[in-house]
Amino acid sequence: MSVKLTQGAVEALFKGSEVNDPVLQLLNIRKITGDTGPRYRLILSDGQHSLSSFLLATQLNHLPEDNLLVPNCVCKVKRTITNSLSDGRIVVIVLDMEILQSAEETGGKIGNPTLYTVDSKTSTPQKSASSVSVPASPPSAAVPGPSYRNSSAALSPPRGSGRGFFGKSPMKTSPMKASPMKASPMTASPMKASPMKFSPTKFSPTKFSPTKFSPTKFSPMKGDSTSPGSSTTVIPIAHLNPYQSKWTIRARVTNKSSIRTWSNSKGEGKLFSFETVDESGEIKITAFNKEVDRFFSLVEQGKVYYISKATLKVANKQYTTLKNDYEMTLHAHSSIVPCDDSQGVPTLHCDFVPIAELENRDSDTIIDVIGVCTTADDVSRITTKTSREVSKRALNLIDNSGKVVAVTLWGEEAEKFDGSGQPVVAVKGARLSDFGGRSLSALFSSTVMVNPDIPEAFRLRAWYDREGYALDSQSLTETRSAGSGANMNWKTLSDIKSEQMGHGEKAEYFTCLATVVYFRKDNCLYQACPSADCNKKVTDQQNGLYRCEKCNREFPNFKYRLILNANLADFGDNQWVTCFQETAEVLLGHSAETLGQLRDTDEAAFDEVFQKANFTTHIFKNRAKLETYNDECRVKVTVMEVQPVDHREYSRRLLSNIRKLAR
Amino acid sequence: MLRPRKLPRETKLWNQAFPAQCCIVQSLVTPTQQVVKMAGILDVPKPRINCSMLSQHISRPVCFVGRVEKVHPTGKTFTVADGEGKIATVELNDPLEEELSGVVEVIGMVSNKGAIMATTYNMLREDKGIAFDLELYNEALKVIQDFPQHYPFEVAASG
């Protein structure tokens, strides 16, 4: 027992001042179940004072678990960190310690340490010696606080352990047990209105076996708080969780949605949601029905508010793209107070993806992107499948990766967008789609900011002014040419057989590049009914009249129409296709009428037309479908559209395919 | 067509490339011989290159496509820029007889100074057909370089 304890160390540690490797005796150790695992609360003494506000860092958990750290052993505390909780209590976390002398060697308690107290705030004037686990009877004035009487060694249980320190430190997620142990007669104690942000509840009597410690001792420390007015200690959004109910966050609204109403079998309702951000993270907040009325006009995008008392639940990732496991719902008791002091609260939390990287992301993911708007189309109105009319505008964004992508804005945002002057546009929460390669679409929940006040915007502006404007870069959203651009399902002719295209119930549409290698010109023309819209073949009555069965009429004339069977080939395979009037005329370069006449008059010229068209290469948009023809099922391919080959676009596509394959 | 005497080194290179033509008298070369010489280079595979690949093809016949930058007043040499913007020099045997502009395709040998000794050139007219996209051509060149196993030009040409 020759080790000397460092007297005064407890006081120093509690006050947060530097102590060099103090030697302390462990009076008691208590295991607490924290959210992250077991934690050990220690009562350490320096011979003069003892303190129960010590917590063992998890990396040292093995010490008590291996029975190295037992009551009465002496240890040297090498590294600590002193935290003060939001309610003012102090806890000292022991990060590193070394056992100097075991309990057996030490014998008993060294010295006669009194429980260290600090006036005000926490702990309480302790009655030194006395104590014993005398249940209750709070001696005079308040004995709130860690009333744990320090009594003879082994017996004094660190009650209060429940009191846990929670809050920022390790225990932050200790489950809140609301109405705790009011059991304690101690309730009386006027706990200094520390607005327990985290309802201290913890004292789980569950933690203690009530037999051992009289439930009494716990500091009521709850209840009393309220009066949020006093020290609204703000916690970071990142620390929010459903297990704490008394908290306040200070955050800026980054995105406010409009009111949405719904009506389903359970009735009607309305909601609006907004996203908020603070230095630590972001979270989505939703208000329903009555709260919508209360808060919708109060909450404005871009402003900072103190928000407290809302319900936290696990986030429904379907509806939100924010990086937070939880989301908040406002209820009748929630409060939103505007905050004037908004320094430190960032304006937006964005995770921008360089445009060139978009190719590597999967389709349908939610992405943030920022770029300079090079061109913006005019706003156009389209009717959606649900026959709603909506405005849309497509703009092109380029960023310093040199790539361009098309972004589609909808509704009001499309209408108010002004793309003049090549502004820097940031879009948060846009959905990446593989429409036309790669493109982005603003969702209902996306935020579009023009010339935002963030460093990336300035960097982009500087880059663009220096070099970007001259870049003739490649757009990831190709094929905006010739309308649609959608369903340019590029295939090669060999894919038709290998993928068994057209075998399903529905017809399959695809595009390919191919060369005509043969025209079946023998039966390419037929005589059709001259009435508009009727293309039925007419039968020659041999009396100068032609009868159309569909119209049930006879005509003295007819119109020639083309049905051209051709064989297309590419590097892999060839395929017989059928071209009707329009496409055949494009391929051959002559109208059906002209061809009809040529056939009747000048055979050579007629053949010449086909010769010229033979071995020409085009882009074909086809439809493949399984058809039954007299008991025989085969896939028939019809050409829907013929387009000349744009070599540059085709080369670019090939190059990008090569690069993709090479990855 | 009179041709100035070649420097000994050049002669050696020339003879290396076209061993058949190591004739001694080089001052007066008839058009037929010129054609014959040209035919030599045309029979041989000529990889397509850009400026960055010049150094790897010294003393070899190549095909270089680039945009004409400046033509030397004598008309015997001019500079071309490739798809990456880098410049190379082309030297001709005979001075230019026409106005050269736009994209040209030059076939010749790479000298050890990195210039192209052109045997023939081909101007890709900008007023006819589709404009030549030099950057896209450069991309294609890179692909050919990156995947030589898929583009066995040497083998194909000699076959």
Side-chain angles (χ1 to χ4, degrees), chain B residues 67-81:
Chain B
R67 190 179 302 276
V68 176
E69 293 280 310
K70 284 179 96 70
V71 181
H72 195 266
T74 59
K76 299 213 55 191
T77 178
F78 59 93
T79 54
V80 280

Side-chain angles (χ1 to χ4, degrees), chain A residues 352-363:
Chain A
F352 294 120
V353 176
I355 293 180
E357 277 244 342
L358 288 179
E359 270 188 334
N360 306 339
R361 301 287 174 114
D362 294 323
S363 185

